[in-house]
Amino acid sequence: MNKIVIEGNGPLKGEVKISGAKNAALPMFAATLLAPGASILENVPDLMDTRTIAKLVEVLGARIEKTDDSTYAIDCSDIKNHEAPYSLVKTMRASCLVLGPLLARLGHAKVSLPGGCAIGERPIDQHLKGLSALGATIDLSHGYVDIHASSRLKGARITMDIITVTGVMNIMMAAVLADGETVIENAAREPEVIALADFLRAMGANIKGDGTATITIEGVTSLSPARTAIIPDRIEAGTFMVAAAITGGDVTITNANPKHMSALSGKLKEAGCEISTDDFKIRVLAKNGIEAVNVTTAPYPGFPTDMQAQFMALMSVANGASVVEETIFENRFMHVAELKRMGADIKLSGNSAMIKGIKKLSGAEVMATDLRASASLVLAGLSAEGRTVISRVYHLDRGYELMEKKLEKLGGIIRREPGGGSKKP
Ligand code: EPU
């Protein structure tokens, strides 16, 4: 196992290129299962999670060839296995994204139930509700969800009880091959949902309304393989925007889509940063200190829960007091105890954190607890006085490609060293 060592130093400066989005790539790997033949995915980030989903579709029968560092050819001519084993699902809950495609293609899917995780209970009842409305029968036993369709799935009207990103993706991927029209109401509007719909359309699916709360799908009888490039990772881009802000830096983020960043950009401007954008570039200049601002997480286009921990690191060194409210996950405050070890003044009350900004954090030995919490500790370390050592960085490797290399290029003093905590099962 590795640890990350950071010596807090001056402002980050320069240009950083954003990788493809993890949360757009994962459903696209699953979607390739829908069509016989070879689909091509470009701009795939090299992460633990993308390697896991590639392994999963391979276990299901796909033949995978990596034609360059970020391009995968995925040949799903011969999908015979319908079972996603516990050994893979336990390492990545997004494995449940194969439920919809397997059900549509084979009429049968058996996927180990993901169980809880560090940020919350995260049930999949809404995925199952949607698939059952399309005509599937569901059996939950021995830790697996076993879904059958005795004939072709049938289009249905489905109102989601809560907004769920992967839930809507699973239902979309099942409905594209169903008989007739499916209408999904109260759908997630995240850019990754639109990216998946674009890919499915390229495969021949008939989908309208993605990016709004109502998605309409007219089922087709078959799909063909397609080629697509993964959209830029808006959470990686956001993390570098906060890195610029917390170090009082001047960073230009390239290969990012500013349209996806509105909520965060707005908050950083309120906090005193200057932000300018071009087509696929965002410059963050933070020369006048950071003012305290409140944020509340919400589904897109609201403030992303995946940026909450990083923003809290920033607020811990802001002028004044702020409140950060988490409304998506019930347990996404694991970074608070670690930030406090670095001197942050944070009080938790239910789903709110009250943060009193201090002048400077102090470097300490801390432990990464989940992906975005790890990112917040890296940001805290960059702005702190002295040395910060972050252990269990395998969390970071699930979702950030070459993070320390990119930060080093911007002037951060950061390196990876062996040691730093063993991997949890
Ligand atoms: N929920 C249910 N029932 C369901 C589905 C979700 O109660 O059937 C609840 C969840 O427990 C949560 C809320 O609904 O409280 C929203 O969860 P959602 O389903 O939208 O999350 P997800 O699809 O499992 C994706 C991202 C997460 C991101 C969330 C919210 C992927 C692979 N993961 O998860 O990303 O936080 O949407 O935007 O797309 C990350 O990248 O660090 C990450 C955790």
Side-chain angles (χ1 to χ4, degrees):
M1 276 301 107
N2 291 324
K3 59 188 175 186
I4 283 188
V5 181
I6 304 171
E7 314 284 347
N9 67 319
L12 295 183
K13 288 205 166 106
E15 223 176 77
V16 60
K17 187 172 172 224
I18 296 307
S19 302
K22 165 179 85 80
N23 290 348
L26 299 178
M28 292 205 200
F29 271 91
T32 63
L33 292 165
L34 286 162
S39 287
I40 314 282
L41 301 183
E42 296 165 2
N43 198 32
V44 176
D46 186 22
L47 304 168
M48 215 146 77
D49 278 11
T50 48
R51 278 177 246 141
T52 303
I53 194 92
K55 201 179 294 167
L56 176 55
V57 295
E58 213 165 24
V59 165
L60 297 172
R63 274 182 295 125
I64 296 195
E65 199 189 330
K66 221 176 153 189
T67 53
D68 66 40
D69 280 356
S70 61
T71 306
Y72 283 78
I74 305 159
D75 186 344
C76 293
S77 299
D78 209 18
I79 301 302
K80 295 214 171 76
N81 186 6
H82 61 264
E83 185 169 327
Y86 179 62
S87 56
L88 286 176
V89 180
K90 76 174 181 194
T91 63
M92 188 188 68
R93 48 177 305 110
S95 306
C96 68
L97 280 165
V98 300
L99 271 174
L102 283 177
L103 181 67
R105 171 103 184 246
L106 303 177
H108 191 184
K110 188 173 174 190
V111 174
S112 167
L113 279 165
C117 77
I119 61 176
E121 194 189 337
R122 301 180 79 181
I124 57 164
D125 57 299
Q126 296 299 306
H127 303 228
L128 301 183
K129 168 182 153 165
L131 298 176
S132 142
L134 296 174
T137 53
I138 295 172
D139 177 43
L140 297 176
S141 52
H142 306 294
Y144 277 79
V145 50
D146 200 346
I147 307 195
H148 277 273
S150 47
S151 54
R152 190 175 168 202
L153 296 170
K154 238 183 156 29
R157 178 169 283 269
I158 300 158
T159 303
M160 311 300 293
D161 297 338
I162 45 162
I163 296 178
T164 152
V165 178
T166 51
V168 105
M169 289 171 164
N170 243 333
I171 298 167
M172 268 168 56
M173 289 190 281
V176 284
L177 286 176
D179 179 17
E181 184 182 84
T182 296
V183 179
I184 309 171
E185 287 174 316
N186 198 25
R189 294 180 282 162
E190 269 67 3
E192 294 76 19
V193 174
I194 301 176
L196 174 62
D198 283 339
F199 182 47
L200 293 170
R201 274 189 288 266
M203 295 171 91
N206 187 349
I207 304 174
K208 293 200 173 66
D210 44 295
T212 76
T214 305
I215 299 177
T216 306
I217 300 157
E218 187 63 45
V220 294
T221 48
S222 65
L223 294 170
S224 316
R227 171 187 283 264
T228 194
I230 309 298
I231 59 169
D233 195 313
R234 64 194 166 96
I235 304 303
E236 188 198 12
T239 302
F240 280 97
M241 287 170 78
V242 176
I246 203 168
T247 60
D250 180 2
V251 175
T252 299
I253 290 141
T254 65
N255 193 35
N257 188 341
K259 292 196 187 102
H260 295 166
M261 313 300 306
S262 300
L264 175 64
S265 295
K267 285 295 167 187
L268 287 175
K269 278 185 196 160
E270 265 184 65
C273 298
E274 281 175 35
I275 298 189
S276 48
T277 60
D278 210 340
D279 274 0
F280 280 91
K281 269 190 188 173
I282 306 165
R283 179 179 175 199
V284 180
L285 176 62
K287 55 175 193 248
N288 298 322
I290 296 294
E291 297 304 318
V293 289
N294 299 336
V295 303
T296 300
T297 62
Y300 189 85
F303 190 94
T305 173
D306 290 344
M307 283 304 304
Q308 180 258 104
Q310 302 90 313
F311 202 81
M312 197 184 299
L314 178 66
M315 287 303 101
S316 61
V317 291
N319 296 317
S322 58
V323 178
V324 171
E325 198 187 345
E326 171 59 52
T327 70
I328 308 291
F329 292 109
E330 67 275 18
N331 193 26
R332 210 172 198 180
F333 280 141
M334 306 276 278
H335 43 285
V336 170
E338 303 299 309
L339 288 173
K340 283 168 88 164
R341 300 193 65 251
M342 298 178 72
D345 182 349
I346 306 175
K347 285 196 178 53
L348 283 180
S349 165
N351 68 342
S352 292
M354 264 74 65
I355 307 138
K356 275 198 200 132
I358 59 167
K359 280 239 151 351
K360 224 161 179 38
L361 295 167
S362 61
E365 288 189 36
V366 289
M367 199 187 288
T369 48
D370 73 73
L371 170 55
R372 307 303 170 187
S374 321
S376 84
L377 297 176
V378 170
L379 301 183
L382 288 167
S383 79
E385 188 129 49
R387 173 179 296 194
T388 295
V389 181
I390 307 172
S391 55
R392 295 197 174 167
V393 293
Y394 54 87
H395 289 293
L396 202 64
D397 297 336
R398 288 190 43 214
Y400 289 93
E401 190 177 52
L402 302 173
M403 192 188 214
E404 69 273 17
K405 296 264 177 283
K406 292 185 184 185
L407 286 168
E408 205 178 9
K409 226 181 118 213
L410 295 172
I413 303 178
I414 173 166
R415 62 185 181 275
R416 192 175 280 252
E417 287 184 358
S422 61
K423 188 165 173 166
K424 279 195 288 188

PDB file of all heavy atoms in Angstrom, residues 265-277:
ATOM      1  N   SER A 265     -18.605  26.897  -9.484  1.00  0.00           N
ATOM      2  CA  SER A 265     -18.033  28.182  -9.900  1.00  0.00           C
ATOM      3  C   SER A 265     -18.723  29.317  -9.161  1.00  0.00           C
ATOM      4  O   SER A 265     -18.066  30.255  -8.696  1.00  0.00           O
ATOM      5  CB  SER A 265     -18.215  28.410 -11.404  1.00  0.00           C
ATOM      6  OG  SER A 265     -17.486  27.466 -12.109  1.00  0.00           O
ATOM      7  N   GLY A 266     -20.052  29.234  -9.046  1.00  0.00           N
ATOM      8  CA  GLY A 266     -20.815  30.280  -8.360  1.00  0.00           C
ATOM      9  C   GLY A 266     -20.353  30.419  -6.917  1.00  0.00           C
ATOM     10  O   GLY A 266     -20.145  31.537  -6.421  1.00  0.00           O
ATOM     11  N   LYS A 267     -20.166  29.304  -6.250  1.00  0.00           N
ATOM     12  CA  LYS A 267     -19.751  29.346  -4.832  1.00  0.00           C
ATOM     13  C   LYS A 267     -18.319  29.871  -4.700  1.00  0.00           C
ATOM     14  O   LYS A 267     -18.002  30.610  -3.771  1.00  0.00           O
ATOM     15  CB  LYS A 267     -19.864  27.948  -4.201  1.00  0.00           C
ATOM     16  CG  LYS A 267     -21.299  27.544  -3.919  1.00  0.00           C
ATOM     17  CD  LYS A 267     -21.915  28.437  -2.858  1.00  0.00           C
ATOM     18  CE  LYS A 267     -23.413  28.297  -2.765  1.00  0.00           C
ATOM     19  NZ  LYS A 267     -24.041  29.266  -1.858  1.00  0.00           N
ATOM     20  N   LEU A 268     -17.444  29.480  -5.617  1.00  0.00           N
ATOM     21  CA  LEU A 268     -16.063  29.972  -5.535  1.00  0.00           C
ATOM     22  C   LEU A 268     -16.014  31.474  -5.801  1.00  0.00           C
ATOM     23  O   LEU A 268     -15.224  32.190  -5.186  1.00  0.00           O
ATOM     24  CB  LEU A 268     -15.160  29.211  -6.524  1.00  0.00           C
ATOM     25  CG  LEU A 268     -14.835  27.765  -6.124  1.00  0.00           C
ATOM     26  CD1 LEU A 268     -14.034  27.069  -7.216  1.00  0.00           C
ATOM     27  CD2 LEU A 268     -14.079  27.702  -4.802  1.00  0.00           C
ATOM     28  N   LYS A 269     -16.880  31.945  -6.707  1.00  0.00           N
ATOM     29  CA  LYS A 269     -16.933  33.396  -6.940  1.00  0.00           C
ATOM     30  C   LYS A 269     -17.416  34.099  -5.685  1.00  0.00           C
ATOM     31  O   LYS A 269     -16.850  35.111  -5.263  1.00  0.00           O
ATOM     32  CB  LYS A 269     -17.883  33.709  -8.098  1.00  0.00           C
ATOM     33  CG  LYS A 269     -17.245  33.530  -9.454  1.00  0.00           C
ATOM     34  CD  LYS A 269     -18.225  33.989 -10.534  1.00  0.00           C
ATOM     35  CE  LYS A 269     -17.788  33.481 -11.885  1.00  0.00           C
ATOM     36  NZ  LYS A 269     -18.870  33.463 -12.872  1.00  0.00           N
ATOM     37  N   GLU A 270     -18.476  33.556  -5.064  1.00  0.00           N
ATOM     38  CA  GLU A 270     -18.976  34.148  -3.806  1.00  0.00           C
ATOM     39  C   GLU A 270     -17.870  34.192  -2.758  1.00  0.00           C
ATOM     40  O   GLU A 270     -17.808  35.106  -1.936  1.00  0.00           O
ATOM     41  CB  GLU A 270     -20.093  33.271  -3.222  1.00  0.00           C
ATOM     42  CG  GLU A 270     -21.509  33.681  -3.568  1.00  0.00           C
ATOM     43  CD  GLU A 270     -22.490  32.761  -2.839  1.00  0.00           C
ATOM     44  OE1 GLU A 270     -22.542  32.783  -1.598  1.00  0.00           O
ATOM     45  OE2 GLU A 270     -23.185  31.997  -3.530  1.00  0.00           O
ATOM     46  N   ALA A 271     -16.994  33.174  -2.799  1.00  0.00           N
ATOM     47  CA  ALA A 271     -15.909  33.106  -1.804  1.00  0.00           C
ATOM     48  C   ALA A 271     -14.763  34.055  -2.145  1.00  0.00           C
ATOM     49  O   ALA A 271     -13.806  34.165  -1.383  1.00  0.00           O
ATOM     50  CB  ALA A 271     -15.401  31.675  -1.698  1.00  0.00           C
ATOM     51  N   GLY A 272     -14.839  34.704  -3.320  1.00  0.00           N
ATOM     52  CA  GLY A 272     -13.831  35.721  -3.647  1.00  0.00           C
ATOM     53  C   GLY A 272     -12.868  35.345  -4.756  1.00  0.00           C
ATOM     54  O   GLY A 272     -11.965  36.109  -5.075  1.00  0.00           O
ATOM     55  N   CYS A 273     -13.054  34.172  -5.387  1.00  0.00           N
ATOM     56  CA  CYS A 273     -12.150  33.785  -6.484  1.00  0.00           C
ATOM     57  C   CYS A 273     -12.594  34.462  -7.774  1.00  0.00           C
ATOM     58  O   CYS A 273     -13.779  34.720  -7.975  1.00  0.00           O
ATOM     59  CB  CYS A 273     -12.193  32.278  -6.714  1.00  0.00           C
ATOM     60  SG  CYS A 273     -11.645  31.322  -5.316  1.00  0.00           S
ATOM     61  N   GLU A 274     -11.617  34.708  -8.633  1.00  0.00           N
ATOM     62  CA  GLU A 274     -11.965  35.175  -9.985  1.00  0.00           C
ATOM     63  C   GLU A 274     -11.984  33.953 -10.882  1.00  0.00           C
ATOM     64  O   GLU A 274     -11.024  33.176 -10.909  1.00  0.00           O
ATOM     65  CB  GLU A 274     -10.894  36.151 -10.489  1.00  0.00           C
ATOM     66  CG  GLU A 274     -11.039  37.536  -9.909  1.00  0.00           C
ATOM     67  CD  GLU A 274      -9.890  38.432 -10.326  1.00  0.00           C
ATOM     68  OE1 GLU A 274      -9.381  38.300 -11.459  1.00  0.00           O
ATOM     69  OE2 GLU A 274      -9.486  39.240  -9.472  1.00  0.00           O
ATOM     70  N   ILE A 275     -13.068  33.821 -11.638  1.00  0.00           N
ATOM     71  CA  ILE A 275     -13.175  32.647 -12.514  1.00  0.00           C
ATOM     72  C   ILE A 275     -13.480  33.108 -13.925  1.00  0.00           C
ATOM     73  O   ILE A 275     -14.415  33.876 -14.149  1.00  0.00           O
ATOM     74  CB  ILE A 275     -14.270  31.701 -12.000  1.00  0.00           C
ATOM     75  CG1 ILE A 275     -13.860  31.223 -10.612  1.00  0.00           C
ATOM     76  CG2 ILE A 275     -14.495  30.529 -12.958  1.00  0.00           C
ATOM     77  CD1 ILE A 275     -14.678  30.156 -10.027  1.00  0.00           C
ATOM     78  N   SER A 276     -12.663  32.670 -14.864  1.00  0.00           N
ATOM     79  CA  SER A 276     -12.981  32.980 -16.260  1.00  0.00           C
ATOM     80  C   SER A 276     -13.004  31.670 -17.046  1.00  0.00           C
ATOM     81  O   SER A 276     -12.299  30.717 -16.713  1.00  0.00           O
ATOM     82  CB  SER A 276     -11.957  33.952 -16.838  1.00  0.00           C
ATOM     83  OG  SER A 276     -10.661  33.508 -16.528  1.00  0.00           O
ATOM     84  N   THR A 277     -13.863  31.629 -18.062  1.00  0.00           N
ATOM     85  CA  THR A 277     -14.014  30.369 -18.802  1.00  0.00           C
ATOM     86  C   THR A 277     -13.945  30.611 -20.296  1.00  0.00           C
ATOM     87  O   THR A 277     -14.256  31.685 -20.787  1.00  0.00           O
ATOM     88  CB  THR A 277     -15.372  29.699 -18.491  1.00  0.00           C
ATOM     89  OG1 THR A 277     -16.409  30.595 -18.880  1.00  0.00           O
ATOM     90  CG2 THR A 277     -15.516  29.356 -17.047  1.00  0.00           C
TER      91      THR A 277
END
